[in-house]
Amino acid sequence: MPEADVSKAEKNYYTDQPQKNEAFFLKGSNNYDWGFKNRLGRIFNCESGRTVMLAFDHGYFQGPTTGLERPDITILPLAPFADALMLTRGILRSLIPPSLAKATVLRASGGPSILKELSNEHIAMNMEDAVRVNACAVATQVFVGGENETQSVMNLTNLVDAGNRVGMPVLGVTAVGKDMVRDAKYIRLATRMCAELGAAVVKTYFVPEFETVTAACPVPIVIAGGKKLPELDALKMAYEAIRQGAAGVDMGRNIFQSEAPVAMIKAVRKVVHDNMKPEQAFELFLAHANLKKHKA
Ligand code: R5P
């Protein structure tokens, strides 16, 4: 018990100052509960409103992906430069030190390996476990137009229901099948469906006319990096995505498969958080990478 308040000083209720009632900084996110917003606020930087999420969950269906054979060696040095880590709970528990104060986005779906039909996913993690490891969001893919479209949509909606019970945002990932056209019309459909079905954040691919994709999606969009590109091209893609309304990147191979991954993630940060032009960020990459002869 504290002592009774016997101070003689006059109390100050600041009656001339109305209490602030600020809107939450993220698009479409004002009506969530405190814990839900707090988790989003750990993924997204409240100054820039954006995030650099480092994706290295690829092993959940394709095993030791190039660059991820030893995440303890290749990923841990990158972690300090990421705002959030997107990973599986297996790698989280086995390799990520709990003292690393980073937001985590946990892959919550799984099932088929790369040898089978990928759209045949199910929810592969209990929400209680996401809470147990203090995750900031959980992720599942939606295969719009895919063989198991409805099943993957139900994975998302079930995860959203479970997440809403505990204040856990869901990242909806738009998976584009091998035979599907990756254009604005398709990406608008898939991203909008994810948002309508309750995803708090949507991850998708950058396509021409991307501003129509972000305009039609009521929640923040982050872009996946996709296959490894020359560094300058990856930085140009990130820049254009941000310019056209993306709230950040959820980038994997274009960072961890880079010739100089730490230099690359630093350059990506500059583009995402400081609107640095890609050519300038590429110069920074070269300087940090000490690869003066590197070709774009
Ligand atoms: C795909 O399996 C995962 O969701 C990845 O996190 C996603 O594809 C982003 O990684 P990348 O930038 O390598 O495409």
Side-chain angles (χ1 to χ4, degrees):
M1 278 275 284
E3 302 82 9
D5 179 9
V6 291
S7 169
K8 296 278 188 298
E10 199 179 331
K11 292 182 192 287
N12 189 347
Y13 295 98
Y14 301 95
T15 52
D16 57 332
Q17 293 181 39
Q19 182 176 307
K20 283 187 185 152
N21 194 18
E22 288 168 1
F24 192 62
F25 68 97
L26 272 182
K27 178 181 180 182
S29 307
N30 207 38
N31 296 323
Y32 301 133
D33 197 3
W34 196 96
F36 201 110
K37 286 178 177 164
N38 181 262
R39 287 188 165 99
L40 288 173
R42 286 157 58 201
I43 297 172
F44 291 88
N45 179 307
C46 66
E47 299 292 326
S48 67
R50 298 174 187 156
T51 186
V52 173
M53 210 184 288
L54 178 63
F56 54 101
D57 58 326
H58 307 58
Y60 90 95
F61 71 100
Q62 60 180 22
T65 307
T66 308
L68 296 180
E69 300 88 340
R70 286 288 303 273
D72 56 325
I73 293 173
T74 58
I75 295 297
L76 285 184
L78 304 176
F81 306 102
D83 297 303
L85 307 177
M86 181 177 178
L87 74 175
T88 59
R89 60 175 163 175
I91 293 295
L92 178 78
R93 282 199 169 98
S94 56
L95 299 179
I96 306 296
S99 54
L100 186 78
K102 285 287 162 193
T104 55
V105 177
L106 286 189
R107 163 63 59 181
S109 59
S113 75
I114 197 155
L115 307 174
K116 292 281 177 80
E117 168 54 43
L118 287 178
S119 68
N120 190 19
E121 279 195 352
H122 292 272
I123 293 176
M125 194 190 64
N126 196 296
M127 191 57 67
E128 184 188 287
D129 209 29
V131 173
R132 187 178 292 118
V133 296
N134 208 20
C136 289
V138 293
T140 188
Q141 326 230 105
V142 171
F143 294 80
V144 173
E147 202 170 310
N148 298 287
E149 177 183 67
T150 301
Q151 178 181 311
S152 68
V153 163
M154 297 313 288
N155 289 343
L156 174 71
T157 55
N158 287 333
L159 212 52
V160 168
D161 284 332
N164 285 347
R165 283 196 281 276
V166 296
M168 183 71 69
V170 174
L171 170 69
V173 180
T174 66
V176 184
K178 279 196 291 276
D179 310 322
M180 287 175 195
V181 186
R182 233 183 247 201
D183 61 10
K185 189 176 173 193
Y186 175 79
I187 298 290
R188 273 195 305 267
L189 169 69
T191 52
R192 179 63 175 261
M193 280 180 69
C194 285
E196 297 257 1
L197 292 162
V201 183
V202 180
K203 168 175 164 174
T204 196
Y205 292 97
F206 178 73
V207 288
E209 299 173 40
F210 198 67
E211 70 273 23
T212 65
V213 175
T214 56
C217 183
V219 298
I221 288 188
V222 292
I223 61 151
K227 284 186 188 140
K228 171 77 174 69
L229 301 168
E231 277 77 0
L232 179 56
D233 291 349
L235 292 168
K236 281 181 178 169
M237 178 173 70
Y239 182 83
E240 266 312 302
I242 294 292
R243 196 183 67 75
Q244 294 185 46
V249 299
D250 185 8
M251 198 175 258
R253 287 162 288 177
N254 276 292
I255 292 174
F256 63 71
Q257 290 179 353
S258 167
E259 219 174 314
V262 170
M264 185 58 180
I265 196 170
K266 284 181 175 172
V268 171
R269 283 196 77 77
K270 284 289 179 189
V271 169
V272 169
H273 289 302
D274 301 335
N275 301 311
M276 186 181 272
K277 290 271 166 51
E279 294 76 13
Q280 201 187 339
F282 183 62
E283 285 303 316
L284 203 76
F285 164 75
L286 290 179
H288 285 152
N290 209 13
L291 299 170
K292 292 284 179 204
K293 293 193 181 107
H294 186 93
K295 295 223 162 33

